[in-house]
Amino acid sequence: MAAGGIGYLVFDVESVADAALVAKIRYPHESIEPAEALRRYRAELIDKYESDFIPYTFQIPICVAAAKVAEDFELLDLVLLDEPDFRPHVIVEKFWRGWEAYRRPTLVSFNGRSFDIPLLELAAFRYGLSVPGWFNAAAKSFEQPRGRYNVQSHLDLCELLTNFGSTRFTGGLSLAANILGKPGKMDVQGAMVQDMYDAGRLAEINDYCRCDVLDTYFVFLRTRVLLGQLTLEAEQALIARTKQWIEERSAQCAAYRLYLEHWGDWPNPWK
């Protein structure tokens, strides 16, 4: 498939805390090991917010899964960046260089405006990468890819479903996927990634990220129906072909086998 045929990159990011940075910023006057600093900071967050999720400013990406989707919404491929090495600086470089190489397709995420994109921007800052096409500071503000309402550059499905944050989408991606009969969250939740990474369970994190991208893709398809860009019949045909695509690759990929085990079909009320 020529680069011009890719109209969308549906993506998801998994990340972990930079424990040394946490120690330096949060406890600058203490002699504290990074792992202990991270443990203490998470405990403080639990006490204050009832969640120990570390702010993205302290995190680095360890996994990015991206689905290449054609302009007619057909799934072409789903890849993990910098597999099998998964070096954070290379993952970030491949994400931004890939976006340019495929002629700046629309990035599609779920809640990526609040987390995934800022994390990848900050990671580019951290690793000394130039991303002039994304920032495009010379363009008018409403034409810049980073603009909140520029859905041609980045379509955040959560913002679409909440009228750009006017409401809270309780249940998140998992709820949206389950409405369509798809698995949503299964054995892994986002809050588990830090502990899984510390335990050396990167393969499971990668599988989780792949499945999130599949969920995001199916939610994306239904939003195209919502916007009148796809008929319901065309969407259902795409879903059937995508299931076959997953089945053909399931023997080599644990994530696809897990996804198929929890697969559900949308209960069509029109039949």
Side-chain angles (χ1 to χ4, degrees):
M1 172 65 67
I6 295 177
Y8 306 90
L9 287 176
V10 181
F11 75 100
D12 185 54
V13 180
E14 302 305 330
S15 59
V16 295
D18 179 342
L21 184 64
V22 170
K24 184 175 183 180
I25 299 300
R26 297 290 304 180
Y27 313 106
H29 305 299
E30 300 182 39
S31 179
I32 184 172
E33 290 297 317
E36 174 58 22
L38 181 57
R39 185 205 63 76
R40 188 193 298 184
Y41 187 28
R42 292 177 70 182
E44 292 170 1
L45 290 170
I46 282 282
D47 288 342
K48 189 172 183 180
Y49 302 110
E50 299 184 353
S51 170
D52 65 352
F53 192 73
I54 304 292
Y56 81 86
T57 50
F58 287 95
Q59 296 205 39
I60 57 174
I62 55 161
C63 175
V64 174
K68 303 173 187 179
V69 178
E71 293 167 356
D72 62 0
F73 310 116
E74 188 91 30
L75 178 66
L76 302 174
D77 199 5
L78 201 168
V79 299
L80 293 173
L81 304 189
D82 196 39
E83 186 179 21
D85 297 316
F86 302 111
R87 296 160 292 180
H89 63 294
V90 179
I91 288 173
V92 176
E93 181 186 38
K94 286 183 176 294
F95 179 85
W96 291 116
R97 298 295 173 260
W99 177 71
E100 290 283 7
Y102 289 117
R103 302 177 188 173
R104 304 179 184 179
T106 301
L107 299 174
V108 180
S109 69
F110 197 98
N111 201 36
R113 183 80 62 191
S114 298
F115 182 78
D116 304 70
I117 287 293
L119 175 69
L120 290 167
E121 291 175 346
L122 185 59
F125 171 85
R126 173 191 282 256
Y127 298 127
L129 297 172
S130 296
V131 197
W134 177 252
F135 287 89
N136 197 12
K140 296 177 181 178
S141 60
F142 60 86
E143 294 176 342
Q144 294 177 15
R146 299 175 77 236
R148 183 168 189 176
Y149 304 107
N150 185 349
V151 296
Q152 298 304 313
S153 293
H154 176 206
L155 174 59
D156 184 334
L157 301 174
C158 186
E159 292 212 320
L160 171 65
L161 294 172
T162 61
N163 197 6
F164 294 96
S166 298
T167 65
R168 181 180 177 86
F169 199 86
T170 303
L173 174 61
S174 185
L175 179 138
N178 270 270
I179 288 173
L180 303 177
K182 300 304 171 284
K185 303 301 181 186
M186 293 177 282
D187 299 334
V188 178
Q189 306 283 332
M192 299 167 60
V193 169
Q194 181 71 54
D195 292 331
M196 291 173 67
Y197 183 79
D198 293 341
R201 297 166 60 188
L202 183 58
E204 293 173 67
I205 296 171
N206 292 335
D207 288 348
Y208 167 64
C209 196
R210 283 185 193 266
C211 292
D212 263 8
V213 167
L214 288 173
D215 279 345
T216 304
Y217 172 66
F218 291 122
V219 173
F220 171 57
L221 291 183
R222 179 52 59 90
T223 65
R224 300 309 91 191
V225 176
L226 187 66
L227 272 62
Q229 297 176 358
L230 269 178
T231 65
L232 186 58
E233 293 74 19
E235 180 223 30
Q236 293 299 295
L238 280 168
I239 291 170
R241 290 198 296 275
T242 302
K243 185 179 183 182
Q244 182 180 358
W245 185 96
I246 297 170
E247 289 170 340
E248 290 169 352
R249 291 157 178 80
S250 61
Q252 290 77 41
C253 181
Y256 295 157
R257 293 194 295 275
L258 180 65
Y259 201 85
L260 290 170
E261 287 171 8
H262 292 80
W263 179 279
D265 292 316
W266 174 64
N268 189 341
W270 305 107
K271 287 187 176 180

